[in-house]
Amino acid sequence: MSVTAIVGASWGDEGKGKITDALAAEADLVVRFQGGRNAGHTIINDLGRFALHLLPSGVFNPRTKNLIGPGVAFDPMAFFGELDELTAAGVPAPQVLVSDRAQLTLSAHVLHDQYEEERLAGEAFGSTRAGIAPFYADKTMKVGVQVGDLRNLDWLRQRLERQLTPRNALFSQLYNKPTLSVDKLLAELKSFRERLLAIMVDASQLLHEALIRQDRILLEGQLGALRDVDHGIYPYSTSSSPLAGQAAVGAGLPPWAITDIVAVVKAYSSCVGAGPFVTEWHGEQAQSLRERGGDRGEYGATTGRPRRVGPFDAVATRYGCRVQGATRLALTNLDVLGTGDDIPLCVAYELDSVKRQDFPLTYELERCQPVYEWLAGWNQDISTVRDWTDLPAQARCFIERVEDLLEVPVDLLSVGPHREAMISR
Ligand code: GDP
């Protein structure tokens, strides 16, 4: 039996999609367990360059099944749009399944998200406006709609009415916007109902049988530990839990089944959206790193927004690895540090003249200053290296220092955006 969670230990955009795509070549099943279409995974392989938002990153392997777990904010329009784009781009028809207990992100959630961000104006969270926060609020308020509700149209209508009554009051009275009708939402849902019914499954049963067969299962997280709604930089968090602990629940597996937790971490820091970011660089220094980072610079795959960037933050990432329960690390974007002089690593924070190794609360983080140590750069292109022993000594020193600081062994190294640009240690 092998169940591996592939999760982010930082703010998201660590390269989880690339690592999942690479490991999926050996997997029977890849499962998304939380979040929605609000983040993007960039994947580059022999089939092309793709930005996935909702589809699990196993879709490029025709023999791998891909499951949307019950914990996902499932936006059917986005899902089928993405699926159709992939097949139009020549990807052999992916095997995709959707849990009947996943809940539906509706156009009403998207509008709600937009209206609320407009209302907050300068105080907004920088939401991707994909409806995620209103979706999870509805789920907790128990007015959400499960995918399986599409089987029973009378029940579905009742569920939608229940959800729309308070929402319409908000729309008309708080936001001064038009109200929505149940008939409109029902018509939207009916437009893809047949297609969805055909791929709907009982996720926990499917996973139970997969465990008995000893299938190889990957659980793919979205965003990273520091955006976790409980353990992250609340309220600049997401509305769900991207932790491996949630992977069992959000997929439908027993917690003991997950024995391998790969925390994906970038060799520097990057972050999209609002919130404290202790090692943030500004100006030219930031722009230079931003242009070198990722596959086409550090710009959001969903929004195109420039990502905030800075040096590696071992305080935040060690905390991220701990709350993930990481058993090994995948260190990505190592090639990006190939140019430049010495490399700064943030090894502590300073707050009110006190050095701190813990990860403070959000209002304290805003005032923390980074304490750096400097390691020698390697000033060499390492993107074609495939063997640990061929890495420059300075790069190996950097990696060993990272694993010391994070207290987790680095097992996979990514030296370029393409699937093949990997070193297994
Ligand atoms: P995810 O959401 O965690 O999958 O991360 P994203 O795909 O949003 O962001 C990661 C970015 O880094 C993307 O542009 C990837 O193509 C890119 N990337 C991943 N691994 C590497 C790497 O080792 N080197 C470089 N240069 N880019 C990488």
Side-chain angles (χ1 to χ4, degrees):
M1 178 181 69
S2 138
V3 181
T4 298
I6 301 173
V7 287
S10 327
W11 298 265
D13 306 323
E14 298 94 345
K16 299 173 295 293
K18 182 216 153 136
I19 301 293
T20 308
D21 171 56
L23 299 186
E26 303 287 319
D28 299 295
L29 181 62
V30 179
V31 191
R32 275 280 308 265
F33 60 86
Q34 45 80 226
R37 66 163 168 100
N38 52 325
H41 301 305
T42 305
I43 292 176
I44 302 175
N45 53 34
D46 291 343
L47 295 166
R49 178 187 191 272
F50 305 91
L52 297 184
H53 302 283
L54 199 46
L55 289 173
S57 300
V59 285
F60 302 102
N61 296 284
R63 56 166 290 281
T64 308
K65 287 199 177 89
N66 294 274
L67 172 67
I68 298 289
V72 172
F74 180 70
D75 182 329
M77 297 281 187
F79 177 83
F80 287 119
E82 216 172 301
L83 196 56
D84 293 344
E85 267 178 39
L86 278 200
T87 30
V91 176
Q95 295 192 55
V96 286
L97 300 164
V98 180
S99 160
D100 55 8
R101 285 191 160 80
Q103 295 199 9
L104 291 161
T105 310
L106 308 173
S107 57
H109 294 122
V110 177
L111 286 173
H112 191 155
D113 202 355
Q114 288 168 5
Y115 296 162
E116 179 61 8
E117 285 282 291
E118 280 166 28
R119 185 184 75 82
L120 289 170
E123 303 282 296
F125 290 106
S127 159
T128 52
R129 304 183 180 210
I132 305 300
F135 166 90
Y136 279 109
D138 275 4
K139 187 173 185 171
T140 313
M141 292 289 286
K142 294 165 284 186
V143 293
V145 176
Q146 292 186 321
V147 168
D149 294 343
L150 288 172
R151 287 204 193 99
N152 181 332
L153 292 177
D154 290 337
W155 169 253
L156 179 64
R157 174 177 282 280
Q158 284 173 41
R159 299 298 303 154
L160 289 172
E161 276 166 359
R162 189 79 180 244
Q163 190 184 106
L164 271 194
T165 308
R167 174 152 291 123
N168 275 337
L170 269 184
F171 276 19
S172 60
Q173 287 164 40
L174 182 66
Y175 302 129
N176 283 318
K177 299 285 185 188
T179 55
L180 295 171
S181 75
V182 169
D183 287 336
K184 177 178 177 296
L185 291 183
L186 262 182
E188 278 174 23
L189 292 175
K190 281 181 188 166
S191 68
F192 49 76
R193 180 169 175 262
E194 293 307 317
R195 223 178 153 188
L196 193 46
L197 289 179
I199 56 171
M200 192 186 294
V201 289
D202 176 339
S204 84
Q205 181 66 28
L206 181 102
L207 286 162
H208 178 67
E209 289 165 14
L211 278 185
I212 291 171
R213 278 195 306 271
Q214 306 209 331
D215 282 356
R216 286 157 305 176
I217 302 170
L218 300 183
L219 306 172
E220 180 183 18
Q222 181 230 35
L223 294 167
L226 305 177
R227 298 288 188 193
D228 181 76
V229 68
D230 290 316
H231 296 276
I233 51 172
Y234 190 85
Y236 304 103
S237 56
T238 191
S239 306
S240 65
S241 172
L243 299 186
Q246 170 63 21
V249 179
L253 280 166
W256 50 256
I258 307 174
T259 50
D260 181 23
I261 299 170
V262 179
V264 187
V265 167
K266 257 185 189 148
Y268 50 90
S269 301
S270 75
C271 154
V272 175
F277 185 38
V278 176
T279 64
E280 182 167 17
W281 273 349
H282 299 279
E284 258 176 48
Q285 205 177 20
Q287 193 53 23
S288 158
L289 178 55
R290 185 174 298 118
E291 292 305 326
R292 278 184 282 132
D295 74 306
R296 292 185 182 169
E298 288 288 357
Y299 297 91
T302 301
T303 56
R305 286 184 289 190
R307 290 181 183 145
R308 300 160 70 193
V309 293
F312 188 83
D313 181 340
V315 180
T317 316
R318 179 172 50 232
Y319 172 79
C321 285
R322 193 195 315 145
V323 294
Q324 285 292 11
T327 56
R328 52 182 174 135
L329 287 178
L331 187 64
T332 69
N333 284 266
L334 195 61
D335 52 303
V336 174
L337 298 188
T339 56
D341 304 324
D342 290 353
I343 300 171
L345 273 171
C346 170
V347 292
Y349 293 161
E350 195 172 298
L351 181 64
D352 298 331
S353 307
V354 177
K355 266 202 192 147
R356 299 196 40 174
Q357 300 283 348
D358 63 316
F359 190 65
L361 288 174
T362 305
Y363 71 91
E364 293 177 307
L365 270 177
E366 308 267 16
R367 296 193 300 114
C368 283
Q369 294 300 318
V371 177
Y372 287 118
E373 94 180 14
W374 297 80
L375 295 186
W378 45 92
N379 280 303
Q380 197 176 319
D381 177 10
I382 57 167
S383 60
T384 54
V385 175
R386 296 292 175 268
D387 199 301
W388 168 255
T389 52
D390 293 335
L391 281 171
Q394 298 91 326
R396 279 185 272 140
C397 260
F398 176 86
I399 297 157
E400 284 165 356
R401 185 66 182 129
V402 165
E403 61 187 2
D404 265 7
L405 288 164
L406 303 192
E407 300 162 7
V408 186
V410 174
D411 185 52
L412 297 168
L413 294 160
S414 174
V415 290
H418 194 278
R419 185 195 276 176
E420 308 297 328
M422 286 259 281
I423 301 173
S424 185
R425 191 148 161 226

